[in-house]
Amino acid sequence: MSEDSSTTRDDVVTRFLQNACRDWRSGGGGSEIRMALHTASRLLEQHPDIATENILTAIVCGDVRVVSELLRHDRALASERSGPRNWPPLLYLASARLLQPGVADHATEIARLLLEHGADPNAYYADGSDIPGSADEGNHFTVLTCILGRGEQQFAPHPRERELTALLMESGAEPYDAQGLYNVFADHGSRPWLSNDIVWLLELMHEHSLRRGRAADWKDPAWHMLSVGGHEPGAYHLLRAAVSARLLPLAEWMLEHGASANTRAANTGRAQYSLYEEAVRAGNASAMTLLARYGASELVSVSLNAYEMFIQHCLFGDRERARQDIALHPDWLHTPQALIIATRNDNAAAVTLLLELGVSPDIEEHRGRARALHAASFAGASRAARVLLAAGADADAREQTYGATPMSISIWAQRPHMTEILAPYSRDVFSLVFAGKVERVRTVLAEAPALAAALDAKGESLLMRLPDAEDDALALTELLLASGADPLLRNRDGVTADELAERRALLRVAARLRAAK
């Protein structure tokens, strides 16, 4: 089935590149990025010849032969800004994440070709302007930043991120990439994806900065050369991430290479705890031992209040002391921090203890009214989530900051295992539809048929939030239409469900919705 006849070849190529190569300014989080990548992959399946349309599509699709031939005829193509994002080719390569297997296999070979023909290894786009050098540029998203991915939107790293990073640094890319470090290490949506493996990045930065005569940088115990946005000392920023995520080999690499165990935050808006104090408050005994071994000098200055000691007793499984604490302070049963911290740590034993003491599984944080199940969804804390659900936690509670349910957070945070755990308990039809849970949606609509006509905060219907798997999308379309969903409805932008399906290259779904009008 072909697309609407009004769709031109240029339109298809533009949509393909826009969806395959994401720009941080596009927004939307992990679920929106995934939707875009599925759209790009469907467009390529429907129009396989666009892979050789121009140098940008050849780069994104990994066609070395076409790229080489085009560069042989016109060397300037390696640096020319073009395409829907007005980027040089290296940025399209660094940002491409097609879902088809094998398309990234030749990315390093193509990157080398581009660099040999004059591509700038330090090319970037700015999140404040399309014009490099303008006063309102904002943050620089370099080729390296785009390869590393992550960030608040949890953009997947490039499948060849290690070899591409090594090639870029060998070719002159700046080893200290502030935005890249922020995206990998900052305390935001990508923190749960941080692992000890990221040592490879620090090792490359270290190696290439030494080659450039920057050994003195690493002798600064605060690592100011790695400061992110000029706010946090690099040593604090990176070590805090490793300690928070309980990644001791990563933290030890930093300490072995000169980072100070006593570094503190520079941001006055944050409590001025040392790393050791933060490890104590998180109940991270292994980090406490490691930091002490590397000279943490404030061991005796850590002073926990009575409630913080109660949290420690729960985290370390000291049931008797925890019971004594509650006997003296029964009001603590209405304080959420202990349950939230235990859940974020996926400490099922501590969660169980707190529930046995009488803490409600639905206790809310005072700011934003988030619950432990929201924290579990974001962190991927499956063991804690199962304990909470078994205790009767509300699977569809909405926190106030984003109006999110645990189910919608699991989708946004790309936690498919949490989506599977939550789906049998949830009646959040928008999340269930988007996740492709056909039978669960059927059950929910049988109990509450009116939900088929529900609208979300953006004025979109369930027919406008279909899953990426087209068979599931088609099955849900039939189910929703049979339950009374309106295919004529327009969202706030004046777009109907069939038009949205067309944009996503869900052609069978679009045809079915047009037929239902």
Side-chain angles (χ1 to χ4, degrees), residues 41-336:
S41 293
R42 282 191 293 270
L43 286 169
L44 183 58
E45 290 167 1
Q46 294 160 12
H47 306 275
D49 54 333
I50 65 174
T52 56
E53 181 73 12
N54 56 43
I55 191 167
L56 299 182
T57 60
I59 286 169
V60 170
C61 296
D63 195 322
V64 181
R65 183 189 62 79
V66 171
V67 174
S68 179
E69 185 69 14
L70 289 171
L71 290 174
R72 187 172 66 84
H73 284 93
D74 187 356
R75 182 182 183 88
L77 288 174
S79 302
E80 184 177 271
R81 288 182 172 269
S82 62
R85 302 206 183 281
N86 192 35
W87 290 346
L90 260 183
L91 280 172
Y92 286 96
L93 181 147
S95 301
R97 300 292 190 275
L98 279 182
L99 301 178
Q100 277 92 340
V103 294
D105 290 352
H106 301 292
T108 307
E109 187 177 352
I110 292 173
R112 184 174 288 108
L113 275 172
L114 293 169
L115 291 162
E116 288 173 351
H117 286 78
D120 180 4
N122 290 300
Y124 68 90
Y125 71 88
D127 61 4
S129 170
D130 286 321
I131 307 172
S134 64
D136 59 345
E137 274 196 321
N139 298 310
H140 287 192
F141 288 80
T142 65
V143 177
L144 180 54
T145 297
C146 296
I147 285 168
L148 294 174
R150 306 167 178 91
E152 285 94 335
Q153 295 181 344
Q154 304 168 76
F155 194 45
H158 195 283
R160 293 289 183 268
E161 65 171 339
R162 297 193 188 194
E163 57 197 69
L164 282 169
T165 299
L167 172 64
L168 284 166
M169 291 190 183
E170 290 283 353
S171 303
E174 169 56 51
Y176 306 151
D177 190 298
Q179 187 63 45
L181 286 171
Y182 171 81
N183 286 353
V184 171
F185 285 94
D187 189 9
H188 49 45
S190 71
R191 174 65 64 79
W193 302 105
L194 187 63
S195 74
N196 287 308
D197 285 347
I198 203 63
V199 162
W200 70 265
L201 175 60
L202 297 178
E203 287 178 337
L204 277 175
M205 293 171 62
H206 183 256
E207 174 190 348
H208 284 277
S209 60
L210 293 187
R211 286 191 197 178
R212 300 181 193 197
R214 301 180 184 177
D217 293 346
W218 298 84
K219 294 177 182 177
D220 164 20
W223 282 4
H224 283 102
M225 77 289 188
L226 300 184
S227 295
V228 176
H231 298 302
E232 301 285 16
Y236 178 83
H237 178 76
L238 274 61
L239 274 171
R240 183 172 184 267
V243 168
S244 173
R246 297 173 182 263
L247 303 175
L248 298 191
L250 175 59
E252 186 158 15
W253 187 95
M254 298 177 198
L255 293 165
E256 285 178 347
H257 287 76
S260 171
N262 293 303
T263 186
R264 287 177 176 266
N267 185 347
T268 56
R270 177 183 291 158
Q272 297 296 294
Y273 294 138
S274 68
L275 288 165
Y276 187 86
E277 288 174 297
E278 294 198 19
V280 171
R281 285 176 165 77
N284 191 342
S286 297
M288 291 158 56
T289 300
L290 176 66
L291 292 165
R293 181 153 52 88
Y294 279 88
S297 61
E298 301 181 15
L299 310 189
V300 296
S301 68
V302 181
S303 177
L304 301 182
N305 62 37
Y307 183 72
E308 289 171 331
M309 287 300 301
F310 166 63
I311 295 175
Q312 298 295 301
H313 296 153
C314 294
L315 293 176
F316 289 109
D318 192 335
R319 306 176 75 84
E320 186 57 35
R321 287 191 178 181
R323 292 182 188 282
Q324 292 172 5
D325 292 337
I326 290 299
L328 292 172
H329 304 279
D331 55 308
W332 288 351
L333 296 176
H334 308 292
T335 303

Side-chain angles (χ1 to χ4, degrees), residues 261-469:
N262 293 303
T263 186
R264 287 177 176 266
N267 185 347
T268 56
R270 177 183 291 158
Q272 297 296 294
Y273 294 138
S274 68
L275 288 165
Y276 187 86
E277 288 174 297
E278 294 198 19
V280 171
R281 285 176 165 77
N284 191 342
S286 297
M288 291 158 56
T289 300
L290 176 66
L291 292 165
R293 181 153 52 88
Y294 279 88
S297 61
E298 301 181 15
L299 310 189
V300 296
S301 68
V302 181
S303 177
L304 301 182
N305 62 37
Y307 183 72
E308 289 171 331
M309 287 300 301
F310 166 63
I311 295 175
Q312 298 295 301
H313 296 153
C314 294
L315 293 176
F316 289 109
D318 192 335
R319 306 176 75 84
E320 186 57 35
R321 287 191 178 181
R323 292 182 188 282
Q324 292 172 5
D325 292 337
I326 290 299
L328 292 172
H329 304 279
D331 55 308
W332 288 351
L333 296 176
H334 308 292
T335 303
Q337 279 77 13
L339 187 61
I340 298 294
I341 291 171
T343 299
R344 285 175 181 157
N345 289 337
D346 203 15
N347 189 331
V351 171
T352 300
L353 173 56
L354 285 159
L355 297 176
E356 289 175 353
L357 291 172
V359 176
S360 167
D362 287 322
I363 192 169
E364 295 178 341
E365 290 187 289
H366 302 305
R367 181 180 179 183
R369 299 186 64 182
R371 303 183 184 185
L373 205 51
H374 293 105
S377 293
F378 183 75
S382 55
R383 293 185 294 272
R386 288 190 174 94
V387 172
L388 291 165
L389 289 166
D394 183 356
D396 292 326
R398 291 189 182 273
E399 50 81 58
Q400 284 190 335
T401 304
Y402 302 104
T405 64
M407 183 81 168
S408 64
I409 289 175
S410 75
I411 293 170
W412 184 90
Q414 301 180 74
R415 298 293 193 184
H417 65 292
M418 287 301 306
T419 301
E420 294 299 319
I421 290 170
L422 291 162
Y425 296 86
S426 179
R427 295 169 61 86
D428 176 3
V429 284
F430 278 93
S431 294
L432 290 167
V433 167
F434 189 74
K437 301 300 178 186
V438 180
E439 294 309 314
R440 179 58 183 164
V441 172
R442 194 185 309 280
T443 298
V444 171
L445 291 182
E447 297 170 354
L451 287 176
L455 300 179
D456 68 7
K458 299 177 182 178
E460 294 196 337
S461 69
L462 291 169
L463 290 171
M464 299 175 183
R465 293 295 293 173
L466 294 168
D468 287 307

Side-chain angles (χ1 to χ4, degrees), residues 480-498:
L480 291 167
L481 290 172
S483 301
D486 184 2
L488 298 174
L489 189 72
R490 295 182 181 274
N491 65 15
R492 291 177 182 173
D493 294 325
V495 182
T496 58
D498 65 288

